[in-house]
Amino acid sequence: MHLGWPALRSASRATGPGARPDTPALVDRFGRVATDLRVSLTDRCNLRCTYCMPAEGLDWLPTSALLTAGELSRLIRVAVERLGITEVRFTGGEPLLRRDLTQIVAATTGLRPRPSVSLTTNGIGLARRVDDLVAAGLDRINVSLDTLRPERFRAISRRDRLADVLAGLAAARAAGLSPVKVNAVLLRGVNDDEAGALLDYCLDHGYQLRFIEQMPLDPQHAWDRRSMITAEEILAALRRTHRLTPDPAERGSAPAERWLVDGGPGVVGVIASVTRPFCATCDRTRLTADGQLRTCLFARTETDLRGALRSGASDEELAELWRGAMWGKAAGHGISDSDFTQPQRPMSAIGG
Ligand SMILES: C[S@@+](CC[C@H](N)C(=O)[O-])C[C@H]1O[C@@H](n2cnc3c(N)ncnc32)[C@H](O)[C@@H]1O
Ligand code: SF4
């Protein structure tokens, strides 16, 4: 199966059939090139979204297992300087729980060639820290917001923090981050009547809303395709109150399909990971908070970069491990295959 790689093939100096081309980049067997690194900074969180974590939380990683700011910065430097990573996104768990987040962002934006640096957060505490993050070079932000109703927010996240999230969003915009993106997951019978209200709120406040189909990455393994709100349903709900036309802007490897709202300039995105998978254009590689490399959210195996790093591997040895792992990346997530099994780590421990 080839997903289209004429440029790479002609540039490759393959040494045999099926051999990895002699290129420093993070290429895989299907012609994809990873340039986007997702880094999870912690598996902990101050919310307990029902679709992501049980009320009591999870068995958190011990501190000794977490990469330090120095270790993270070294691996990110290897990725940028040797492997062609051009975008770095920090996530978790909740990345704002790391006190050294600003330091990690500054180390990343100090790299050359400078990667773009973004953050995915639940927004709690963002209002206090966003100016420092922007001063450290943060380029973009995604804040998760599944409902505008305080009672519902408490039911979904098991915490009464809606006001903090909205304050965080406002602060991100005031700090000059643009676009400020909002991520929403709709759950049947819980908040699936709020698609239009969320869109109106985001349009009014200048935020860019994206709905994400719920994926089978919950620790309870309770995901059920039949109860998932599909992209089709989300679009149908939005069309009851708004006119949507496909955004003519090039989609590239972006996971969100974008729509102009009422002729634009407002847009809304839908990330249909389950019903319209975009694996063929995936350009991601992932690092967990405990230094394990994953080629996909749904990968069944990991590569232990932390072990290599702590045993004294050189930068080039780390880069080679990374290249080898990416060469083994699967063609797709396989959610629709009859033999699909969820990865052991839930979303919060991989980094969403
Ligand atoms: C895992 S969180 C980590 C960052 C931060 N705590 C946050 O909530 O934005 C990243 C995103 O993944 C989403 N998410 C969590 N579990 C999911 C699932 N099973 N399917 C789809 N999205 C999920 C969240 O709603 C959030 O927008
Ligand atoms: S979705 Fe984000 S905010 Fe909600 S529990 Fe998971 S990690 Fe925390």
Side-chain angles (χ1 to χ4, degrees):
M1 179 177 176
H2 282 292
L3 307 174
W5 59 337
L8 180 67
R9 268 213 199 141
S10 57
S12 77
R13 296 191 291 280
T15 51
R20 188 186 176 281
D22 182 15
T23 166
L26 289 176
V27 299
D28 68 30
R29 288 187 167 79
F30 305 100
R32 297 167 297 190
V33 184
T35 54
D36 179 345
L37 169 61
R38 305 275 149 143
V39 182
S40 174
L41 295 179
T42 175
D43 58 334
R44 295 174 191 239
C45 192
N46 41 11
L47 296 184
R48 294 285 184 276
C49 302
T50 52
Y51 56 86
C52 185
M53 280 190 198
E56 65 278 15
L58 294 162
D59 288 334
W60 310 124
L61 291 165
T63 310
S64 59
L66 295 181
L67 296 180
T68 63
E71 288 172 332
L72 278 160
S73 300
R74 171 145 181 238
L75 290 177
I76 296 169
R77 180 173 56 71
V78 167
V80 169
E81 291 180 352
R82 293 176 185 258
L83 301 169
I85 290 297
T86 57
E87 287 183 62
V88 179
R89 175 171 293 274
F90 294 110
T91 180
E94 179 41 51
L96 285 174
L97 292 182
R98 287 262 326 213
R99 293 210 189 99
D100 49 10
L101 176 61
T102 305
Q103 181 192 337
I104 295 166
V105 168
T108 308
T109 58
L111 294 171
R112 295 294 175 269
R114 183 198 190 286
S116 78
V117 178
S118 50
L119 182 69
T120 299
T121 171
N122 63 26
I124 294 171
L126 182 62
R128 273 195 317 280
R129 295 178 68 186
V130 71
D131 287 337
D132 286 347
L133 290 166
V134 169
L138 183 72
D139 297 300
R140 287 195 308 272
I141 199 153
N142 289 46
V143 179
S144 301
L145 176 68
D146 300 331
T147 177
L148 292 161
R149 303 190 197 175
E151 274 310 309
R152 260 191 198 171
F153 189 93
R154 192 173 7 206
I156 295 173
S157 72
R158 303 190 178 99
R159 301 287 187 271
D160 190 10
R161 307 298 295 271
L162 176 62
D164 299 80
V165 177
L166 299 183
L169 269 166
R173 193 188 50 188
L177 290 171
S178 178
V180 172
K181 292 188 182 172
V182 169
N183 290 352
V185 176
L186 294 182
L187 307 167
R188 197 172 298 285
V190 177
N191 62 344
D192 53 336
D193 56 353
E194 263 191 270
L198 283 164
L199 179 56
D200 289 335
Y201 183 86
C202 289
L203 292 173
D204 287 350
H205 291 78
Y207 311 143
Q208 214 178 91
L209 176 63
R210 297 130 40 96
F211 291 97
I212 310 175
E213 280 182 347
Q214 194 189 355
M215 294 178 274
L217 286 170
D218 56 313
Q220 303 93 332
H221 290 218
W223 181 87
D224 175 5
R225 175 183 290 269
R226 286 159 304 181
S227 68
M228 179 194 78
I229 304 286
T230 64
E232 266 324 303
E233 289 178 276
I234 296 165
L235 292 169
L238 295 175
R239 284 191 167 114
R240 275 181 220 125
T241 46
H242 295 280
R243 188 167 54 83
L244 302 185
T245 45
D247 182 353
E250 187 71 36
R251 182 177 174 193
S253 59
E257 271 182 83
R258 300 202 330 167
W259 307 83
L260 295 179
V261 184
D262 298 324
V267 293
V268 63
V270 181
I271 304 182
S273 323
V274 178
T275 60
R276 302 180 198 173
F278 35 85
C279 303
T281 55
C282 180
D283 63 355
R284 294 196 184 156
T285 177
R286 295 175 178 274
L287 186 62
T288 64
D290 56 341
Q292 307 302 301
L293 183 61
R294 297 180 65 93
T295 55
C296 172
L297 275 174
F298 295 92
R300 312 282 317 156
T301 56
E302 299 182 339
T303 302
D304 183 15
L305 286 189
R306 184 194 65 200
L309 184 148
R310 290 187 181 170
S311 336
S314 68
D315 286 355
E316 191 47 30
E317 284 166 344
L318 292 168
E320 266 305 288
L321 262 179
W322 210 318
R323 291 183 192 113
M326 289 307 287
W327 186 240
K329 177 169 167 133
H333 56 45
I335 295 175
S336 299
D337 299 351
S338 54
D339 59 351
F340 172 75
T341 39
Q342 256 188 247
Q344 272 191 326
R345 282 190 198 245
M347 179 75 129
S348 58
I350 298 172

